[in-house]
Amino acid sequence: MGEIKQPSTAGQRLGAPESFGVSTLEPGLRPPTQSPGRQVCIRVQMLDDTQEVFQISQRSPGKVLFDLVCAHLNLTEGDYFGLEYQDHRKMMVRDTHIYCTRPKNTILRFVVKFFPPDHTQLMEELTRYLFALQIKRDLACGHLICNDTSAALMVSHIIQSEIGDFDETQSWQHLLHNKYLPDQDAIRDKITDCHRKLVGQTPAESDYQLLEIARRLEMYGVRLHPAKDREGTKLSLSVAHTGVLVFQGYTKINAFNWSKIRKLSFKRRRFLIKLRPDPTQNAHHDTLEFAMSSRDCCKVFWKICVEYHAFFRLFEEPKPKPKPILFTRGSSFRFSGRTQKQIIDYVRDSELKKVPPASEDSPLGSPHVVVNGNGSVNDLGMGSTGGLGPEGRQLSPLTSPLLTEAGYVRNDDEDEARRKFPTDKAYFIAKELLTTERTYLKDLQVVTESFQSAVGKDEAFPDSVKNLISANYDPVYKFHQGFLKEVEQRLAQWSVSLYQLENLEMGHNENTGIMGQLTVHLQKHSECLVELETSRKVETLCREFEQQRVCYLPFNIFLLRPLHRLLHYKLILERLCKHYPPTHDDFRDCRAALADISEMVLQLQGTMMKMENFQKLLELKKDLTGIDNLVIPGREFIRLGCLSKLSGKGLQQRMFFLFSDSLIYTSRGMTPLNQFKVHGQLPLYGMTVESEEEWGVPHSFTLFGQRQSVVVAASCAPEMERWVEDIRMAIDLAEQSSSPNTDLLSTSPSDNSESVFSEQESEEELCGSRSSLERQGQRGNTTVHVCWHRNTSVSMVDFSVAVENQLSGNLLRKFKNSNGWQKLWVVFTNFSLFFYKSHQDDYPLASLPLLGYSVTVPLESENIHKDYVFKLHFKSHVYYFRSESEYTFERWMEVIRSATCSASRSLPSTRKDLY
């Protein structure tokens, strides 16, 4: 009674295929009558083939037994595993209760339940070890079909983990007495040759490499369920994280992605897959039908699909379906347990509580920046007191369980999978689109969710501004939500044998039409930026929001992200068009898409440049004190940076700000917001520049104004040339302008103001101007402060280049004093690298400003024996990062150089006309 015929000889799987607690009895059947309090002992066979006995109540929920097994193993990520049994006559499962007729003869097997696509998603070393044991078992029983080369390599890693380094006699004897493959004798020599090359590899490394090889096999995690198609052809069905798979023999002949499946159901012994309609096909079957051996087999496979879909696709456990009062129709089965995302979040949150007290990567004087508890980014390299850990300890620039060696399982070859990616450049161009789209959607979320939630309850915030932001950002956010899912789906389906992405997500016939409809919203984003400056109260609320960790950049930058994203699409399509030959199938579509995007960029270019300049003036307004009217029509920002000013007391470090009508200079103030105090203003009209050295000061030049002259010195010759070039260009703009000069200072100085300001500077202020970020508060993370401490400068051209050169993706970072590499999600924007544990994180855990850094490749003497590695160094501080491919390596080098090498270009004279 209740017997189910097996779809395969492997036995019916509970939980992992069919979880403990899945009903396998027909409705209406009742379990044997037993005493509810009776205790039974159940044997469980572990993955290492040992057996453990667990005592539970006979009517206990199945989850109780499974939890006992996980507790016995001290397994945190137990949701990847389940229990299976073979003999249905000895074990029957109904709902969430266990009923055993012969408990002494009942043996359950602890097995892997869900096979993730990437073993690096397994956070615990114990979990990876158990997965390695499952692969070992699958190889031995013939489930994991592969070629001889892969089989020999995997077995060699298993042997290395079990007996250590190769010894000819020992290894040969070990192979004679242990069976790892059904046909092991035929490739024994190949196994020993592979084992010979693994000298020095630890057991953990061997397990890692075993999983790395296994996850790329077509039969990885596949459990075949016999079926037939409409014509009676013998097939097999399986389910994976991507969807439902169809095999003929051991060859995959079809795959139905979850996003294409509308519904899965079964009717008697028929398994039905209803697909979403495809508008590109006129005649097609939207329902596929497969016949299985019995209704029970059909229902079993349906439940497996339900669990796989929920585990890999949902963010949280689905809520149970309410039971009907009178009649039931269909199955009420639902997935129960944590989803993969919940597991990852749980382990990550647990690791955050294990932050070490100190790090070797945070020496005093290190020019790093970290995110502190208030959400601002602090430069620890100058003695900041910000960025404290849970117990008040300082965090290093790359400190957290994410960025420190302590508490992290080092994987020396953590991302060797990169070598097996498609080699076509188009794949990596499409992947860059995906990774940057993820970051872009997170940035939009800051505006549409975080900001609106923060100010929505404040009555002082005008409803008109709220409605304006909501009306023009929410549609863009919703569009890109669907857009990102489509990009992820298409990239996941990328075929290694067909290196093309049909109708790249900005294809001419598809999304550009929708993007064009969003142009009206993009044109309104500049209005949103202006409206936020309408009142002092709104400005205060925006500043308060900037202190939240999710707002890792000045808020105004997030408002301009949609305009910047158009530039990224244009640049990505340009690279794709250069890559494709005219004969390529996608060439014409990409050229058409590029033409559409280019037209949109051209339409919005004037607005974009105005808003970038407006946003920069607003940002500088927050950094400066002692000025009244910085933001006025017609004024353009040109350059800011450190120069030394020659006075009666010698050279003094000053921060200079160059605009299209004036040059002002400041020193570090002592305000709570660490603003820079304005000391003087030099009108550009009638000014001349002499670049000859004065007073024997190297890299100096003299500014001759109508009222006074000033001698300043740059840190190096290139810096001096940039300043002189931009100042001369600004003088030309000032003389061409018909608008009168406006004095920036709150109190206009007299004609001899230059000497007056110099004499009134106290020693305390001078010390403060040279001090570190010791008194640093909430605004110690801006570009102005970084330039102050790195003694460098940036121009508006640099900011424009930075807008274009934004990048996101995974990088491996090398630990300082070991060979370990750590996988990070890295975002490059605003001259900085922001570090996350994964792209799903809402805010960065650490940040590293790159102004002043140099980017090179490691020397031979540095013993970095890896490909695609670049080095970042500033004085004595060095970091190594490793990318996945030659293309991504070149892209990271390109964008980082845009931040570390200041643009020598000056603003074109025609720029003024765009305003």
Side-chain angles (χ1 to χ4, degrees), residues 522-523 525-526 529 560-568 570 597-616 796 800 803-804 911 914-915:
L522 299 179
Q523 291 172 337
H525 289 173
S526 59
L529 182 60
L560 297 181
R561 277 293 195 247
L563 295 172
H564 298 160
R565 190 59 179 155
L566 288 180
L567 290 176
H568 304 158
K570 179 175 179 288
I597 293 293
S598 299
E599 183 178 353
M600 294 175 65
V601 171
L602 186 62
Q603 292 176 3
L604 296 169
Q605 185 176 14
T607 299
M608 193 181 307
M609 297 183 71
K610 288 180 181 178
M611 289 302 103
E612 285 179 8
N613 182 72
F614 182 58
Q615 183 271 327
K616 188 53 57 182
M796 192 61 198
S800 298
V803 164
E804 297 177 3
R911 178 182 173 90
L914 293 175
Y915 289 82

Side-chain angles (χ1 to χ4, degrees), residues 568-600:
H568 304 158
Y569 292 148
K570 179 175 179 288
L571 295 172
I572 289 173
L573 282 171
E574 285 176 348
R575 285 197 295 275
L576 200 58
C577 289
K578 289 180 181 178
H579 169 68
Y580 281 148
T583 56
H584 195 279
D585 293 341
D586 289 345
F587 178 76
R588 295 184 65 183
D589 283 343
C590 288
R591 287 296 298 268
L594 176 60
D596 289 344
I597 293 293
S598 299
E599 183 178 353
M600 294 175 65

Side-chain angles (χ1 to χ4, degrees), residues 237-253:
L237 300 180
S238 184
V239 63
H241 69 282
T242 56
V244 180
L245 312 177
V246 182
F247 286 81
Q248 193 165 34
Y250 294 113
T251 303
K252 185 171 66 175
I253 62 174

Side-chain angles (χ1 to χ4, degrees), residues 49-246:
D49 291 330
T50 62
Q51 290 188 9
E52 299 290 339
V53 178
F54 298 89
Q55 187 178 50
I56 62 172
S57 171
Q58 190 167 9
R59 300 186 68 86
S60 295
K63 187 176 184 300
V64 172
L65 175 61
F66 183 74
D67 289 345
L68 286 174
V69 176
C70 292
H72 171 75
L73 294 172
N74 194 23
L75 181 61
T76 303
E77 298 173 292
D79 302 74
Y80 286 101
F81 301 85
L83 300 172
E84 75 174 10
Y85 70 94
Q86 286 185 312
D87 192 340
H88 300 280
R89 296 185 182 276
K90 296 179 183 178
M91 169 66 72
M92 295 179 293
V93 179
R94 176 177 171 79
D95 296 331
T96 58
H97 292 79
I98 300 172
Y99 303 96
C100 302
T101 58
R102 299 178 184 176
K104 291 184 179 179
N105 299 324
T106 300
I107 299 179
L108 301 180
R109 293 199 301 176
F110 183 79
V111 295
V112 171
K113 179 177 181 179
F114 299 114
F115 290 81
D118 186 356
H119 60 93
T120 59
Q121 294 174 321
L122 307 174
M123 312 299 290
E124 302 275 338
E125 184 176 0
L126 172 61
T127 313
R128 288 192 287 271
Y129 169 69
L130 294 175
F131 265 72
L133 292 178
Q134 181 68 61
I135 297 301
K136 175 185 174 182
R137 176 183 289 182
D138 289 350
L139 281 172
C141 68
H143 282 168
L144 188 56
I145 306 298
C146 59
N147 58 40
D148 290 347
T149 301
S150 297
L153 192 54
M154 285 191 288
V155 172
S156 68
H157 284 295
I158 295 173
I159 298 174
Q160 176 71 19
S161 176
E162 291 180 349
I163 68 173
D165 292 341
F166 176 80
D167 177 87
E168 187 166 354
T169 303
Q170 183 186 14
S171 299
W172 192 261
Q173 289 294 325
H174 189 79
L175 282 172
L176 285 176
H177 294 92
N178 293 274
K179 199 74 170 178
Y180 296 105
L181 297 169
D183 55 346
Q184 180 174 296
D185 294 340
I187 60 171
R188 189 181 300 168
D189 292 336
K190 187 174 290 188
I191 294 173
T192 56
D193 289 339
C194 294
H195 186 201
R196 186 179 287 109
K197 301 174 183 178
L198 303 180
V199 175
Q201 186 168 281
T202 66
E205 291 169 340
S206 298
D207 294 340
Y208 182 91
Q209 293 301 325
L210 173 64
L211 296 178
E212 183 65 25
I213 299 167
R215 77 182 182 98
R216 300 197 169 277
L217 300 176
E218 193 168 64
M219 298 298 293
Y220 166 72
V222 169
R223 298 294 182 262
L224 299 177
H225 298 254
K228 294 180 181 180
D229 62 10
R230 292 175 184 266
E231 290 72 34
T233 305
K234 291 184 177 181
L235 303 170
S236 295
L237 300 180
S238 184
V239 63
H241 69 282
T242 56
V244 180
L245 312 177
V246 182

Side-chain angles (χ1 to χ4, degrees), residues 359 361-362 368-370 380 387 394-400 403-404 846:
S359 169
D361 293 305
S362 58
H368 309 322
V369 167
V370 300
L380 290 183
Q394 283 192 347
L395 300 180
S396 78
L398 300 179
T399 294
S400 70
L403 296 163
T404 55

